[in-house]
Amino acid sequence: MSKPPLGLCHETLLELKSYRPKQTTKIKLDANESPFDLGAGIKSQILGSLSNVDFHRYPDPQALELRERLADTFGGSFEEYVVGCGSDEIIALLMLTLGRTRSGLSQAAVMYPTPTFVMYRHSAQAHGLLPIEVPLLDDWSVEPDGFVSAIRRHRPNLIFLASPNNPTGRKFSEAELDAILSATDEDMLVVIDEAYGAFAERKHIYRESARIGWMGTLSKVGLAAIRVGWIRLNRNLANEVDKARQPFNLNSLSQKVASLALGICRDELMSQITSVVEERGRMTHELSSLGFSVFPSEANFLLVRCGIGTGVDLDARTIEASLRKEFGIGVRVFNESRLQKDLRITVGTSTENDQLLSALQSIL
Ligand code: PMP
């Protein structure tokens, strides 16, 4: 049998594994989705308006209605927004657009503090860029001097800061952001990934800067199924990113639902966010009472530590496996060495959270 031309694949791609989340469980607390579907009333209103979509036509390649809605909701002009099939696609588009190798370097670099969202590394490697990882301190804050000297040494094209961060749940302070921003040159882009911004007590102060991209998504606030993400950028840079985008990257149904979501669904989504935040507070308390060390979180999940040195004897992998096999509850464990003792638990509905707590009680 003849062999496929694997030698032509990017070397960095061959080192990667496809992103394959674990099989689904009855109670899904492993993917940071919203536990709430849209209410029946709003859902049927949305489905009703989808009947106006021309199924035989390509989508609006400019996604104008949606970009205007985004500008109404988050500020600026629609020309500053690029939309994608989830913020995953936006991350990939940034790698494509801003991937030029600087003179004196052998590869364009992408920098981010770790632990963080795995797609920054994955996407950088898939696009032949060099990931540069700077460890966070033990309280998950940035060590400003170390980060600043890493910027000077590696001169990254792109810096990703998820804030609140996944999986730590911590939001970077304005001072941390300013320290990083002041170390960047004009030819670097800092992407502030606010995927979990809706759950934070306060959003980051908006900074009018051509060196910053503000990234967002509807995936965490109840609309993961439609895959809509965006970035707000300086309009000249947005224009370049737009050239790298496939013209019909966002289908008509997603464009329509997202536009409606930012309008008629807003109150409902806001009240769902409020109940996730309330449950996050309750779960912090309850999980701490069970002996877990719970990191403070401004996101829709909690990072909890167990095993030696905590009030829980069992290790994270044993707990994860028991929850999954005996109770049909999925939570997340990690391969990274610094997260070996940690579980990431997405905040569910109050019923799901109660089921998790009683499962944990019986496991422990
Ligand atoms: N950013 C962060 C920090 C995330 O955790 C995730 C999803 N886990 C994303 C971006 C991607 O979100 P999506 O592609 O669904 O918009």
Side-chain angles (χ1 to χ4, degrees):
M1 231 213 331
S2 64
K3 286 186 182 164
L6 293 179
L8 298 178
C9 299
H10 276 304
E11 283 153 337
T12 45
L13 190 65
L14 292 172
E15 291 162 13
L16 285 174
K17 285 203 182 98
S18 295
Y19 183 75
R20 296 229 171 81
K22 281 229 169 77
Q23 74 275 26
T24 54
T25 39
K26 202 166 58 175
I27 300 178
K28 258 189 120 304
L29 304 178
D30 59 350
N32 298 345
E33 297 147 326
S34 167
F36 304 106
D37 199 354
L38 287 176
I42 284 202
K43 217 170 179 180
S44 64
Q45 214 176 321
I46 289 180
L47 292 175
S49 46
L50 289 184
S51 64
N52 299 327
V53 169
D54 290 327
F55 277 71
H56 63 127
R57 301 288 182 207
Y58 280 110
D60 172 8
Q62 292 202 65
L64 211 52
E65 185 189 356
L66 172 57
R67 287 162 66 223
E68 277 171 350
R69 272 262 178 246
L70 286 167
D72 290 346
T73 312
F74 300 108
S77 134
F78 76 92
E79 289 146 309
E80 297 167 33
Y81 286 84
V82 181
V83 291
C85 181
S87 31
D88 286 344
E89 188 188 10
I90 301 291
I91 295 168
L93 284 172
L94 294 171
M95 306 278 175
L96 267 178
T97 315
L98 292 160
R100 187 201 284 212
T101 306
R102 292 177 195 276
S103 67
L105 297 184
S106 58
Q107 252 177 315
V110 176
M111 208 168 114
Y112 44 85
T114 55
T116 192
F117 181 40
V118 289
M119 283 310 285
Y120 306 145
R121 174 171 52 218
H122 191 100
S123 198
Q125 287 189 270
H127 289 86
L129 278 70
L130 180 68
I132 305 285
E133 310 197 329
V134 184
L136 291 166
L137 295 171
D138 286 344
D139 66 354
W140 307 132
S141 63
V142 171
E143 200 271 288
D145 292 345
F147 206 85
V148 165
S149 67
I151 292 176
R152 302 222 164 102
R153 195 157 8 110
H154 297 285
R155 294 162 59 215
N157 292 18
L158 282 160
I159 298 172
F160 283 94
L161 299 172
S163 187
N165 187 23
N166 171 19
T168 65
R170 185 179 178 277
K171 187 174 150 230
F172 296 113
S173 68
E174 302 302 322
E176 281 168 292
L177 285 194
D178 286 332
I180 292 169
L181 290 167
S182 61
T184 56
D185 293 333
E186 257 171 32
D187 60 351
M188 293 176 183
L189 183 73
V190 178
V191 179
I192 301 177
D193 180 349
E194 295 194 292
Y196 302 98
F199 305 96
E201 202 173 310
R202 231 170 279 114
K203 286 199 84 177
H204 278 298
I205 298 165
Y206 179 74
R207 292 155 174 81
E208 187 77 50
S209 165
R211 283 186 222 174
I212 307 181
W214 300 88
M215 194 160 72
T217 177
L218 292 178
S219 297
K220 312 299 170 189
V221 294
L223 291 156
I226 65 168
R227 305 296 297 127
V228 172
W230 62 88
I231 190 161
R232 180 179 175 190
L233 290 169
N234 165 276
R235 71 181 68 195
N236 294 332
L237 184 56
N239 196 39
E240 296 308 308
V241 177
D242 200 51
K243 293 179 194 171
R245 184 181 63 82
Q246 290 182 35
F248 306 114
N249 64 332
L250 204 54
N251 69 72
S252 305
L253 305 178
S254 293
Q255 287 189 31
K256 188 85 205 154
V257 178
S259 304
L260 290 169
L262 293 167
I264 58 170
C265 306
R266 240 181 124 173
D267 290 348
E268 177 162 337
L269 296 181
M270 288 310 290
S271 83
Q272 293 179 353
I273 290 165
T274 305
S275 57
V276 167
V277 170
E278 279 166 13
E279 280 294 301
R280 181 182 73 199
R282 178 173 81 92
M283 291 303 283
T284 301
H285 176 76
E286 298 289 351
L287 291 165
S288 308
S289 308
L290 287 176
F292 290 96
S293 301
V294 184
F295 290 98
S297 169
E298 295 213 47
N300 64 344
F301 56 83
L302 292 167
L303 188 72
V304 306
R305 185 154 286 179
C306 49
I308 300 159
T310 72
V312 171
D313 291 337
L314 286 178
D315 65 274
R317 276 175 201 276
T318 308
I319 297 175
E320 184 273 334
S322 308
L323 285 172
R324 181 161 39 85
K325 291 180 193 154
E326 293 162 37
F327 299 92
I329 300 176
V331 297
R332 183 73 197 267
V333 283
F334 301 91
N335 293 325
E336 271 175 86
S337 57
R338 288 179 81 194
L339 300 173
Q340 288 302 303
K341 292 166 75 179
D342 301 338
L343 296 166
R344 192 194 65 195
I345 303 174
T346 306
V347 177
T349 61
S350 59
T351 313
E352 288 172 333
N353 296 334
D354 285 342
Q355 285 168 307
L356 171 75
L357 291 170
S358 80
L360 284 171
Q361 259 152 3
S362 77
I363 293 170
L364 304 176

